[in-house]
């Protein structure tokens, strides 16, 4: 399949289908875009600075699915997290995608002529009171009427009319429009939904004023904000005055800002007197290309002459392919979950719509990938980097299309036959169970995609689909999968990062107006030297009372946040976790630092005091734990080596580093690649090549650059979805072996890394992989354990498995699996795992064999209704087997209860179906046997927690004393109860 993607005849097939984007319009999209930028950058009184668009893929804490407006990249400025902003007034055109989340236009796309998944937002901004409402409204009106030449009697203006006395009406904006000569009949009040703008559930927000354009020229104010396609919102001017907190409260911002946004697509349509955005030069070349791929025998007309369903398909394809081009160009990959999952579903949906509505022929079944070149040609005028990503985008989309069509050709006839059979029987109801069976492949082993079933609800309106029951079934299946999944304990979990009450900390910091920003450069890169600093603020965190207070005295039961004027501690950033160490006061009082994090311009040191002396001097000495710092630096440098070598091994220069997480004892490297044929041999070779590079003892140096001066340097690697500051650091390994922008800490030469070992590889979809790796002493320790512990135990069991009892063999095999061979273990060389796992499966007793063995341990009394065994098995396995006791083919299926007693673990587990009998048993055990029921399983593994907290049929009692337990009395009690 990969050969098909990289075949040159396919790669350049678009050359034969070239369609000019130069449709003769009075206002071309490129002219409209440039006119907007020129107006603000050349403004005589308020000149703006033009800045490039950010990626449509938001930072992880942004609170949105995609970047959905132009203001996302300025969020920190609106929240006063950047007090010093050199660009006080800026203008740009921003790539935006509204799919999922608070602002979601997906359901409207294709059905109307003015909503889009991807669009370009023309915007101008004022930061920190540079200008506000009057100037913003004046410039907007001047640009629309004088420069673009829009008739003012075609425009309506809206303003915020307040909310339940909580937020006052914005009469100031209303008066500004009247001062500009707007008739009061064209200035309309609206509420929170229409005229109070919020980026997401939390963050900056404020009242807004909207400018609407009336295509009808009838001047009817009742058509504004009524979803009339002929009266559309054109420009939104947002006045950022508030911040929405997690508790839904609003607090005033420190400074006021202006954020305006106008959709390029709508503006181009208006300026050319089009009522549909799809009649502009941003879409018409796409329609021409789509039509050329329609099968001649089907007589599909051009867009303007097509019927309703065909026009819907034209619009959806043209819209979606623009979104795919931008999203994949910015580094997004179709995958199972998250926004990558949304992308995958949308590609599949577009593929099916093209095939069903436009009858794309077999030769051109992967039509979407063939639309990428013309889309790139249109958009690259504004985003030239799309040209270099063209082939990769085409390959990714074609892979999705081809795979989906294989499933589609099986699923479509099955679904249609299923529905038709129902209708023939006069049965017009599709139950939740029916939907689930179709979706889960329970019918003819064919999985029908949910989005296909959803679309058929519209094609067959007489048939009712029970989606609510289906959702209940899905939740139940999810619960069962947690209960009955194989033992999956994480041997080594990620290091937890404390969740800090940042809002409350900021409030306390803002109360201290004299605080300065914390300076950490260049000191954080010189951690081997202690640093003198001064304490600016200490905040006491009383967890028991859930409150923060300014420090008064030391309490050993509390932890503290220490804010210094300067520090050599590295705060979490760039994928690297924080330093540990100590802060020593002049009276030798020690503050133990266990977390360091940045809160805007301040760096907080979180930890506890090792004494209770009074603090009478603000002078301190910062000492970083250099052993931890060295391990962090080893791991960070190694991520650069992995990044460099993987590109060579996968022959993918466009490989995208999606994430990295640098811990002291291991690191995670996640990437996506179009080379989906990577196998375990690749990682074996990667491990070998990295260790060879370590042995080369390459020197590592740091160089500083202006970001704009190196943006075009293809030899310097940088993340595709990262906003870099104006001054950047470049980590250079060797003379030219690897050059990468990075703010983290690094070793001085590769031989300081000492050793490299891959211990785990997770697949995160077809093209995403996540590597877990070790370096230095941690890698050496795992190699030692493998050779001196695991192999010895494994070979002993292999040679003596015939002489070992079933329960002991099971226990020992399970122990090996738990510690070493579990899929989440970080204590086993990944390149050895597959081989030994195959041998392990041959050694491990089957669950059925083990269950049979346990049942053979039944007591020989006449009742034979409880298990009495000393087999030392974990709670989870016993609970699992007792829960499965009445499976099919089990001769004791009729038994109402099963009891397992283990004197070594001093516990009793009861499997009992009848809820009334369960209550009676619990009461008897408490009163007569002085045993208590275990209800808190927090100290057990996750699988045990899931099993016993979600399954009410199982009860665990503890403790049980072998010497005091009266078996006969217990048996008699069971007889009476059951």
């Amino acid at each position: 399949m990969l050969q098909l993607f990289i075949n040159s005849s396919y790669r350049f097939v678009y050359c034969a289908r070239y369609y000019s984007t130069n449709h003769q319009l009075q206002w071309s999209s490129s002219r409209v875009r440039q006119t907007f930028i020129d107006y603000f950058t050349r403004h005589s009184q308020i000149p703006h600075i033009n800045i490039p668009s950010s990626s449509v893929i938001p930072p992880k804490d942004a609170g949105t699915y995609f970047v959905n407006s132009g203001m996302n990249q300025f969020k920190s400025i609106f929240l006063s997290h950047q007090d010093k902003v050199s660009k006080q007034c800026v203008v740009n055109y921003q790539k935006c995608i509204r799919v999922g989340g608070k602002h979601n236009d997906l359901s409207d796309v294709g059905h109307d002529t003015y909503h889009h998944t991807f669009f370009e937002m023309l915007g101008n901004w004022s930061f920190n009171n540079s200008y506000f409402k009057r100037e913003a409204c004046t410039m907007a009106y001047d640009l629309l009427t004088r420069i673009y030449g829009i008739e003012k009697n075609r425009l309506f203006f809206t303003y915020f009319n307040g909310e339940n006395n909580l937020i006052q009406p914005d009469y100031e904006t209303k008066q500004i429009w009247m001062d500009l000569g707007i008739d009061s009949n064209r200035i309309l009040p609206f509420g929170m939904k229409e005229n109070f703008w919020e980026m997401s559930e939390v963050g900056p927000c404020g009242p807004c004023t909207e400018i609407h354009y009336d295509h009808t020229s009838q001047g009817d104010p009742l058509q504004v904000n009524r979803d009339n396609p002929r009266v559309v919102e054109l420009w939104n001017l947002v006045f950022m005055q508030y911040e929405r907190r997690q508790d839904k409260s609003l607090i005033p911002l420190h400074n006021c800002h202006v954020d305006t946004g106008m959709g390029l697509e709508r503006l181009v349509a208006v300026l050319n007197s089009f009522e549909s955005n799809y009649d502009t030069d941003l879409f018409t070349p796409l329609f021409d290309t789509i039509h050329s791929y329609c099968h001649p025998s089907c007589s599909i007309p051009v867009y303007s002459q097509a019927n309703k369903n065909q026009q819907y398909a034209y619009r959806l394809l043209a819209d979606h392919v623009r979104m795919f081009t931008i999203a994949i160009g910015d580094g997004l990959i179709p995958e199972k979950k998250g926004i990558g999952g949304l992308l995958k579903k949308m590609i599949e949906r577009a593929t099916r719509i093209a095939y069903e509505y436009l009858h794309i022929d077999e030769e051109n079944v992967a039509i979407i990938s063939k639309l990428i070149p013309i889309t790139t040609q249109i958009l690259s005028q504004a985003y030239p980097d799309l040209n270099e990503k063209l082939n990769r985008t085409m390959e990714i989309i074609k892979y999705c299309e081809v795979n989906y069509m294989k499933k589609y050709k099986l699923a479509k006839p099955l679904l249609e036959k299923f529905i038709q059979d129902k209708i023939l029987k006069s049965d017009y109801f599709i139950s939740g169970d029916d939907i689930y069976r179709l979706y889960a492949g329970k019918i003819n082993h064919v999985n029908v995609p949910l989005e296909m079933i959803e679309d058929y609800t519209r094609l067959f309106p007489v048939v009712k689909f029970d989606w609510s029951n289906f959702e209940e079934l899905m939740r139940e299946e999810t619960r069962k999968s947690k209960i009955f999944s194989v033992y999956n304990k994480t041997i080594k979990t990620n290091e937890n990062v404390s969740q800090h009450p940042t809002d409350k900390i900021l409030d306390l910091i803002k109360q201290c107006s004299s605080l300065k920003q914390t300076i950490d450069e260049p000191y954080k890169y010189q951690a081997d030297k202690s640093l003198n600093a001064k304490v600016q603020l200490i905040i006491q965190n009383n967890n028991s009372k859930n409150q923060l207070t300014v420090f008064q005295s030391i309490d050993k039961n509390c932890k503290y946040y220490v804010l210094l004027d300067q520090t050599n501690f590295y705060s979490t950033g760039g994928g690297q976790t924080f330093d540990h160490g100590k802060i020593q006061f002049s009276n030798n009082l020690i503050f133990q630092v266990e977390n360091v994090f940045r809160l805007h311009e301040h760096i907080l040191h979180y930890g506890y005091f090792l004494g209770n002396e009074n603090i009478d001097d603000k002078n301190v000495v910062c000492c970083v734990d250099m052993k931890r710092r060295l391990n962090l630096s080893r791991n960070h440098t190694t991520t650069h080596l992995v990044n460099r070598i993987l590109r060579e091994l996968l022959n993918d220069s466009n490989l995208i580093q999606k994430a990295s997480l640098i811990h002291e004892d291991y690191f995670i490297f996640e990437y996506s690649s179009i080379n989906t044929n990577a196998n375990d041999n690749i990682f074996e070779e990667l491990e070998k090549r990295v260790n060879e590079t370590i042995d080369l003892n390459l020197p590592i140096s740091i160089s500083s650059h202006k970001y704009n001066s190196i943006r075009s340097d293809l030899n310097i690697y940088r993340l595709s979805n990262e906003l870099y500051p104006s001054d950047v650091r470049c980590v250079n390994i060797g003379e030219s072996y690897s050059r990468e922008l990075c703010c983290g800490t690094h070793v001085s030469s590769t031989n300081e890394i000492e050793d490299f070992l891959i211990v785990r590889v997770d697949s995160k979809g077809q093209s995403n992989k996540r590597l877990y790796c070790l370096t230095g002493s941690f890698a050496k320790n795992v190699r030692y354990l493998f050779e001196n512990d695991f192999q010895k135990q494994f070979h002993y069991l292999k040679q003596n498995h015939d002489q070992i009892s079933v329960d002991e063999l099971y226990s020992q095999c399970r122990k090996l699996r738990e510690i070493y061979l579990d899929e989440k273990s970080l204590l086993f060389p990944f390149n050895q795992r597959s081989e030994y796992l195959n041998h392990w499966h041959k050694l491990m007793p089957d669950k059925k064999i083990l269950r049979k063995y346990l049942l053979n341990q039944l007591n020989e009394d006449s009742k034979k209704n409880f298990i009495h065994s000393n087999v030392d098995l974990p709670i989870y396995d016993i609970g699992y087997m007792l829960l499965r006791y009445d499976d099919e083919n089990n001769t004791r299926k009729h038994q109402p209860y099963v009891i397992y007693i283990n004197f070594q673990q001093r516990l009793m587990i009861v499997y009992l179906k009848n809820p009334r009998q369960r209550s009676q048993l619990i009461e008897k055990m408490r009163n007569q046997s002085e045993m208590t029921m275990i209800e808190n399983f927090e100290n057990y593994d996750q699988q045990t927690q899931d099993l016993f907290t979600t399954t009410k049929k199982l009860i665990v009692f503890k403790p049980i004393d072998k010497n005091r337990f009266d078996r006969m009395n217990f048996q008699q009690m069971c007889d009476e109860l059951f």
Side-chain angles (χ1 to χ4, degrees), residues 931-964:
M931 295 178 67
T932 58
M933 184 175 68
I934 300 179
E935 297 180 282
N936 186 349
F937 291 90
E938 290 183 359
N939 294 327
Y940 296 90
D941 60 85
Q942 188 62 47
Q943 289 298 111
T944 301
Q945 292 181 42
D946 290 341
L947 184 69
F948 287 94
T949 55
T950 61
T951 309
K952 304 303 181 184
K953 296 177 183 178
L954 290 167
I955 317 167
V956 184
F957 293 105
K958 195 174 184 179
I960 180 171
D961 191 329
K962 184 175 182 178
N963 297 322
R964 296 177 58 190

Side-chain angles (χ1 to χ4, degrees), residues 508-615:
L508 286 175
I509 289 176
K510 288 177 181 178
Q511 293 174 16
C512 306
S513 57
S514 61
L515 294 182
K516 300 177 181 178
Q517 72 176 81
T518 308
I519 299 173
D520 63 345
E521 290 194 35
Y523 311 120
K524 65 181 177 182
Y525 302 118
Q526 303 168 357
D528 55 328
K529 302 175 183 177
S530 59
L531 178 71
N532 295 321
K534 286 189 176 181
V535 174
Q536 296 194 85
L537 177 67
I538 301 178
I539 298 173
Q540 181 172 309
N541 183 8
N542 191 333
N543 287 320
S544 61
K545 297 181 180 179
N546 193 28
Q547 66 182 74
L548 299 180
T549 56
V550 176
F551 171 82
Q552 293 180 338
S553 61
I554 294 176
D555 184 342
K556 286 191 174 183
N557 296 319
C558 296
K559 291 194 175 183
Y560 297 84
Y561 300 94
V562 175
L563 177 60
L564 306 175
D565 63 339
Q566 59 186 19
T567 182
N568 57 355
F569 283 85
Y570 187 91
S571 58
T572 300
Q576 180 174 326
T577 52
F578 45 81
D579 280 334
H580 285 173
K582 62 182 181 180
I583 297 174
Q584 184 170 342
F585 289 75
S586 57
N587 60 353
N588 292 324
L589 176 66
I590 300 296
F591 180 77
Q592 193 70 39
V593 178
E594 57 182 27
N595 196 341
V596 186
F597 62 96
R598 177 178 290 275
L599 196 56
H600 317 316
E601 61 177 1
H602 306 290
I603 295 176
L604 281 300
H605 306 75
Y606 182 70
Y608 53 91
F609 287 99
L610 295 180
N612 54 6
E613 293 86 352
N614 293 326
I615 299 176

Side-chain angles (χ1 to χ4, degrees), residues 241-381:
Q241 298 175 247
Y242 305 101
E243 177 188 353
R244 177 76 72 183
R245 290 287 183 87
Q246 288 283 2
D247 61 4
K248 305 304 178 184
S249 63
L250 286 175
I251 64 169
L253 292 174
H254 185 64
N255 292 315
C256 292
H257 316 275
V258 172
D259 161 29
T260 85
M262 176 163 53
L264 172 68
E265 294 78 5
R266 290 189 187 180
L267 180 59
V268 176
V270 165
L271 294 180
N272 290 286
S273 301
F274 296 145
E275 292 188 11
S276 169
N277 297 353
Y278 291 95
D279 290 335
T280 67
D281 62 350
L282 292 165
F283 294 95
T284 50
L286 283 165
F287 291 161
D288 294 342
T289 310
I290 292 169
H291 182 257
S292 73
Y293 284 117
C294 296
H295 200 286
S297 64
C298 296
S299 301
I300 300 295
V302 296
Y303 170 73
S304 60
Q305 300 172 19
N307 63 35
K308 181 179 178 181
N309 285 338
Q310 291 165 346
Q311 285 196 343
Y312 162 72
Y314 270 110
R315 288 193 293 264
L316 184 137
L317 283 178
D319 171 89
H320 281 24
V321 75
R322 284 161 37 94
M323 181 265 193
F324 302 154
T325 303
I326 291 295
I328 296 174
D330 277 351
L332 189 62
I333 294 291
E335 50 191 343
K336 292 182 179 179
K337 298 180 180 179
I339 58 175
L342 284 173
L343 176 63
K344 182 173 181 287
K345 289 179 180 178
M346 290 177 66
I347 293 174
E348 293 177 347
R349 178 191 186 202
T351 302
R352 184 176 56 77
I353 293 297
Y355 189 77
E356 290 184 353
Y357 287 58
L358 298 177
H359 305 291
I360 302 301
D361 58 38
E362 290 292 329
E363 177 188 352
N364 297 316
V365 68
I367 181 178
I368 301 174
S369 60
K370 296 178 182 180
L371 295 175
I372 299 300
I374 188 66
T375 308
T376 300
Q377 184 183 337
I378 297 168
L379 294 176
S380 62
Q381 299 174 40

Side-chain angles (χ1 to χ4, degrees), residues 825-840:
S825 171
L826 301 185
L827 294 175
F828 197 82
F830 174 78
N831 294 322
Q832 301 282 349
R833 186 176 182 277
S834 179
E835 176 187 351
Y836 278 94
L837 198 56
N838 289 333
H839 293 306
W840 180 87

